Amino acid sequence: MNAETLTPRLLLVDCEPRSQEMLDKSLARLGLHGWAVTEDADIALTDVDGVIVELDHFASPRLLEAAHAAGLPIVAMTHHQTLSQIQRARRLGATAILNKPITQHTVYTTLAMARTLRERITELETAHDRLTVQVDHQGLIARAVARIMVSADLDEAQAFERLRSDAMSRQLTLVQASERLLAQMAPVRRQGGAS
């Protein structure tokens, strides 16, 4: 992994002057570019590849929330790696902590770790969302099968086969066929209940 694939454009948030100077030197040696912002500065994150935030002088909660929502790797920088600072960094969406004093080597490895962990978290969130949709779809299919079982006096296997056949004949997915069936049968149930 070379420096340019790491995080070439970094946002340096709420860094005190000495930290800023050390970061600028380390980043320049790595061929990376950073620009400083403070106190929730209004900045577009479209040109940002990562964020380093100094916890000891933190004053930009909205900016960090936006960076976290955008899926940017966030590094929390601090003098003291205490449990409370680690928990605070985690709440802010940080995936790595950079301890002072800052060196070129620690900046590089911490940025690499933050980026790798952020990518992994994004993959897991995507997989979670996909599985949630699949579970929802299974529930929809199960309701459609149950509706067929009751209305046609069939067992579960027969009802599922009827739903599958209906889906195939109409060139629908099982989910689409289930939605269609449940939508068609819902008004009938309401009318039957009203009489």
Side-chain angles (χ1 to χ4, degrees):
M1 180 184 299
N2 64 41
E4 280 303 311
T5 63
L6 214 54
T7 40
R9 297 163 297 185
L10 295 163
L11 201 57
L12 310 177
V13 179
D14 296 328
C15 297
E16 54 93 17
R18 186 178 164 119
S19 298
Q20 182 72 48
E21 183 181 336
M22 289 188 290
L23 276 173
D24 286 341
K25 285 179 185 175
S26 293
L27 293 174
R29 288 186 197 120
L30 291 168
L32 303 176
H33 313 286
W35 63 95
V37 295
T38 59
E39 299 178 358
D40 264 335
D42 189 22
I43 186 164
L45 296 174
T46 51
D47 293 329
V48 176
D49 297 307
V51 174
I52 297 177
V53 57
E54 184 158 8
L55 289 182
D56 306 316
H57 301 278
F58 180 63
S60 302
R62 287 192 322 262
L63 180 57
L64 259 288
E65 187 177 314
H68 180 66
L72 294 173
I74 298 172
V75 172
M77 181 173 57
T78 183
H79 275 295
H80 311 288
Q81 191 176 353
T82 61
L83 179 59
S84 62
Q85 285 290 67
I86 293 169
Q87 290 171 337
R88 185 177 182 209
R90 196 59 206 112
R91 283 192 304 273
L92 294 173
T95 52
I97 292 183
L98 178 61
N99 287 323
K100 295 180 182 180
I102 299 164
T103 66
Q104 179 180 334
H105 176 72
T106 59
V107 168
Y108 180 84
T109 56
T110 305
L111 288 172
M113 182 186 305
R115 181 169 186 153
T116 300
L117 289 173
R118 180 68 253 173
E119 288 169 353
R120 182 67 181 131
I121 288 168
T122 300
E123 288 170 7
L124 291 171
E125 288 170 345
T126 301
H128 175 268
D129 293 345
R130 188 176 58 250
L131 289 171
T132 299
V133 169
Q134 287 177 352
V135 167
D136 290 345
H137 286 171
Q138 290 302 317
L140 182 71
I141 293 167
R143 286 194 307 278
V145 168
R147 187 69 59 88
I148 294 169
M149 288 171 66
V150 170
S151 66
D153 194 27
L154 299 173
D155 67 26
E156 184 178 357
Q158 293 168 324
F160 181 80
E161 184 55 36
R162 182 173 287 185
L163 178 64
R164 191 183 69 76
S165 296
D166 181 58
M168 288 177 61
S169 68
R170 297 177 191 279
Q171 296 183 334
L172 300 172
T173 65
L174 279 174
V175 171
Q176 292 168 331
S178 297
E179 288 172 337
R180 181 179 177 280
L181 175 91
L182 292 171
Q184 286 176 337
M185 295 183 93
V188 173
R189 184 175 156 229
R190 280 191 219 106
Q191 290 171 358
S195 57

